[in-house]
Each structure stands twice: as C-alpha cells, then as structure tokens.
C-alpha cells in the first residue's frame, strides 16, 4: 500500500517536474524588451518603432517582443537615455541632440546648416560615416541601431516674425538638453533655456519662454502652434534621430538574436522616412490652414544666421572638425540610392 502510494506520488512529482520545466523553458525563451518614445502613438517615429517591433516579432517567430511605451510614459528624453545607459530601459528612440551630452562626437552630425536638404543627410547617415557614428555610441554603453528622419528645425515664438537674428535678441528660447543647441541659440543673440520637451507647451503659454525650435511635425503634434503662432522657416539644423539599445540588454542576447534586432531596426528606416515625408507635409498644411504667421525662407536673411553660428564650427575639437569635413564631402557626392 505504502509502496503503491509512494509510486503514485513519485509519478505525480515527475509529472509536475516535467510541466514546470516545460513552463520554465517557454518563459525563458520569451524575450520582452521595453522601448521608450517621447512622441504620441500616431507620430511617424512611433509608427516606425511599432514597425521595428513587428519585424522583430515576426522574424523571431514571436520569441522576441518589443513593447513600445510612447507619449513619454517612461520619462523625458534625457532621463530615459540615462536609464538605457544603466539597463533599466532596453531601447529608446531619441534625437541625437540630448544624446550628444553622452557622446560629444555626435555633434558633428547635427551642426547648424550642415546639410542642404534631407538627401545629403541620408547620403551621410547611410555611408561608413553613419555606421561609424553608431559604433561610437558603444563607448557610452549604448548600441546604435538605426537613424530616423526629423526634418529641419526652425524657430517659432509668441512675439513676432524672425527674419534676422537681431529679431530674437534677448528672447528666451527653449532648447533641447544639449550643449550645442544652447551655444547655437546664444550665438544668435537669444537666451537659451534648456527644458524637457513635455514642459514646453505650458512654458510658452505662461510666458516663461518666448519661443522654441523644432520641425513642422513636432510644432504641430505638441500643439505649440496654438500658443506660439509665429514660425520662421529658417531651417537652422537637421538633427538625425536614432534608436539605441542598452549594451547590457544587448549583451544578454544570443548572437543570432542580436543580429536579428540590428537588421530589423535597419530595415525599419525606409518605413520611417516614408511616414515622415507624408506627415511633415500634412503638419505643415494644417499649420498653414490654422492661420499661423509663417515667415518664408525667402523672407529670412539666412546668411546672417549662418554667419552668427560660424564660431560653433571654429570651436570644434580637431577630430570633430575632420569629421565635419568628411560629412561635407560625402554630402556633396550623393549616391544613386540616397533616399
Ligand atoms: C523632436 C524630437 C524629439 C525631441 C524633441 C525636443 O523628435 O525626440 O527631442 O524634438 O525638441 O523633434 O525635445
């Protein structure tokens, strides 16, 4: 009897053991990664994050899942970057402006008036220079996965039209949390106020700042255009965006999974560029329809802006100055596949 009872229990134990092992096996196979995004769900960059996640899930047969936390649910850009650096968040999509505080060399990619349009910028980002810059991120414990388009940044404000840098003299202009962006605005004669993206709307509304700078899509999706009606199409910078992964999170993955993630991120780029173009045109149109005062590029003394920011180039350390030269050469010789 005892003997029989014991063997029944033994079988039950074995069965439970097998079930537990199988369960464990399934769970340990499933990889879930969190990706932080500051923009809302329908912003082109967020859509591209979902496309990246979709490719990863599909190519891994559902084994690797990327959860996208949009609308700054995991925090503002700078603090998210810090968390990615120490592994608390696995992935994020950010502008290289705040990222350059961690990897100063990135400034070379976002110097003012560096690219004459999106195509030369993409020729650079898709070249060896772009790949090298992504590799540079490893020094700061990030893995750079891809670039996204972010159009051109221009000034907007609550006071009046900016046709010349003198029009912004002494005004408080919000910038991203980036040394280069602060220097740029100061060089133009205004007062640079670094501030997280999510605080800009109320700062404009309450008059804490007089203006800010961004691309058409961000000016539109944040509703800044409702509280700061003057937009000058001066296009002082093209700031690429990147998807970065925490090195700690990447190192935990098998080599094939690392490769799968890298490839999926790279493949999501074309999708983002396409969505970007469409949304950029739509945002611009909606702002024009809303009756905002747009100071067109032809009405702006762009050369005066260029001259004022020249000291930023003169001040660059030698390695970055060389890099800027390589960027200029590359941008000047567009390859056929630049998009
Ligand atoms: C937007 C970028 C976002 C920013 C934001 C800002 O997409 O990542 O950093 O500008 O100005 O264009 O903070």
């Amino acid at each position: 009897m005892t003997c029989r009872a014991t063997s029944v229990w033994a079988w039950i134990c074995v069965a439970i053991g097998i079930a537990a092992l199988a369960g464990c096996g399934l769970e340990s196979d499933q990889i879930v990664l969190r990706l932080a995004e500051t923009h809302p769900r329908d912003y082109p960059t967020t859509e591209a994050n979902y496309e990246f996640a979709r490719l990863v899930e599909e190519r891994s047969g559902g084994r690797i899942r990327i959860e996208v936390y949009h609308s700054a649910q995991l925090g503002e850009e700078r603090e998210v970057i810090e968390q990615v650096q120490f592994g608390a968040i696995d992935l994020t999509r950010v502008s290289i402006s705040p990222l350059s505080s961690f990897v100063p060399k990135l400034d070379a990619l976002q110097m003012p008036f560096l690219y004459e349009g999106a195509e030369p910028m993409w020729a650079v980002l898709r070249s060896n220079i772009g790949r090298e810059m992504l590799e540079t991120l490893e020094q700061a414990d990030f893995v750079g996965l891809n670039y996204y388009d972010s159009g051109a940044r221009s000034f907007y404000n609550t006071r009046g039209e900016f046709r010349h840098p003198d029009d912004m003299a002494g005004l408080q202009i919000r910038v991203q949390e980036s040394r280069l962006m602060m220097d740029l605005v100061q060089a133009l004669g205004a007062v640079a106020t670094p501030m997280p993206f999510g605080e800009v709307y109320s700062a404009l509304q309450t008059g804490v700042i007089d203006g800010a700078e961004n691309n058409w899509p961000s000016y539109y999706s944040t509703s800044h255009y409702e509280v700061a009606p003057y937009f000058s199409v001066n296009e002082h910078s093209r700031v690429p965006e990147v998807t970065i992964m925490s090195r700690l999170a990447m190192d935990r993955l098998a080599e094939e999974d690392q490769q799968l993630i890298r490839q999926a991120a790279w493949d999501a780029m074309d999708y983002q560029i396409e969505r970007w173009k469409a949304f950029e045109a739509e945002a611009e149109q909606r702002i024009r329809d809303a009756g905002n005062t747009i100071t067109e590029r032809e009405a702006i003394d762009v050369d005066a802006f260029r001259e004022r920011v020249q000291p930023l180039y003169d001040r660059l350390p030698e390695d970055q100055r060389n890099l800027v030269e390589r960027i200029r050469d590359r941008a000047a010789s567009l390859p056929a596949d630049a998009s």
Side-chain angles (χ1 to χ4, degrees):
M1 183 74 189
T2 325
C3 185
R4 259 184 82 194
T6 310
S7 70
V8 168
W9 278 115
W11 278 112
I12 291 173
C13 284
V14 169
I16 291 173
I18 290 171
L21 273 178
C24 276
L26 273 181
E27 269 165 28
S28 63
D29 261 9
Q30 178 79 57
I31 296 163
V32 179
L33 301 167
R34 296 192 309 159
L35 186 152
E37 167 61 69
T38 198
H39 289 298
R41 175 65 183 88
D42 59 355
Y43 200 84
T45 332
T46 314
E47 306 261 24
N49 298 330
Y50 278 99
E51 174 62 5
F52 166 42
R54 189 189 68 77
L55 291 174
V56 168
E57 192 157 350
E58 185 182 282
R59 292 175 188 179
S60 67
R63 207 166 37 77
I64 311 177
R65 237 183 53 229
I66 295 178
E67 290 174 348
V68 178
Y69 292 84
H70 55 80
S71 311
Q73 290 171 69
L74 300 184
E76 293 284 353
E77 233 163 33
R78 203 197 142 87
E79 61 205 52
V80 163
I81 297 172
E82 279 165 8
Q83 296 202 59
V84 169
Q85 193 175 40
F86 63 77
I89 296 176
D90 305 303
L91 293 143
T92 187
R93 187 292 314 160
V94 285
S95 161
I96 68 167
S97 282
L99 192 57
S100 64
S101 317
F102 299 78
V103 184
K105 223 174 166 185
L106 285 178
D107 277 345
L109 283 181
Q110 56 154 350
M111 292 299 287
F113 300 107
L114 181 58
Y115 313 102
E116 300 292 333
E119 281 171 25
M121 181 190 77
W122 278 108
V124 171
L125 299 178
R126 289 184 193 276
S127 75
N128 291 346
I129 304 173
R131 298 266 186 181
E132 263 170 54
M133 295 303 267
L134 290 181
E135 279 163 25
T136 314
L137 290 168
E138 306 245 344
Q139 295 164 6
D141 287 336
F142 303 117
V143 181
L145 297 178
N146 67 10
Y147 292 104
Y148 287 151
D149 207 334
S150 174
R153 296 178 79 97
S154 292
F155 291 105
Y156 53 88
N157 79 101
T158 58
R159 302 297 197 98
E161 294 192 59
F162 289 177
R163 293 167 190 266
H164 187 279
D166 289 350
D167 297 333
M168 50 196 290
L171 297 185
Q172 300 269 353
I173 305 292
R174 177 271 172 174
V175 289
Q176 291 157 294
E177 292 170 278
S178 143
R179 182 77 249 166
L180 181 76
M181 285 304 191
M182 286 182 70
D183 290 349
L184 185 150
V185 163
Q186 312 270 54
L188 292 171
V191 181
T193 312
M195 182 184 287
F197 194 39
E199 291 172 20
V200 182
Y201 182 92
S202 65
L204 285 167
Q205 199 178 33
T206 55
V208 168
I209 52 172
D210 302 298
E213 46 85 60
N214 222 313
N215 47 49
W216 291 105
S218 283
Y219 180 49
Y220 175 68
S221 77
T222 52
S223 299
H224 293 175
Y225 75 102
E226 290 171 2
V227 284
Y230 298 94
F231 188 93
S232 295
V233 195
N234 61 280
E235 305 192 332
H236 51 272
S237 312
R238 282 188 181 269
V239 181
E241 312 208 325
V242 284
T243 305
I244 53 171
M245 182 157 177
S246 164
R247 236 185 110 141
L248 293 165
M250 190 58 119
D251 287 349
R252 277 197 293 270
L253 301 180
E255 184 59 39
E256 312 89 78
D257 290 346
Q258 298 191 6
Q259 206 33 51
L260 188 152
I261 287 175
R262 285 176 189 274
Q263 192 60 48
W266 198 258
D267 292 346
M269 276 187 347
D270 285 341
Y271 176 88
Q272 193 272 349
I273 294 168
E274 208 177 286
R275 301 301 298 234
W276 180 264
K277 277 188 193 141
F279 191 69
E280 191 178 41
E282 184 187 329
E284 176 177 348
Q285 195 51 51
R286 285 180 187 261
I287 290 157
R288 289 184 183 276
D289 292 348
N292 283 47
T293 304
I294 313 295
T295 311
E296 307 294 350
R297 206 167 150 90
E298 306 74 61
I300 297 171
D301 188 347
V302 179
D303 285 343
F305 279 87
R306 275 182 206 275
E307 274 163 35
R308 293 268 180 107
V309 300
Q310 182 54 39
L312 270 65
Y313 281 91
D314 303 338
R315 249 184 268 156
L316 280 179
E318 205 184 324
D319 60 331
Q320 292 202 37
R321 215 167 316 141
N322 294 338
L323 201 50
V324 165
E325 257 166 46
R326 283 177 63 207
I327 291 172
R328 286 207 163 120
D329 288 350
R330 191 71 193 86
S333 57
L334 276 179
D337 70 341
S339 46

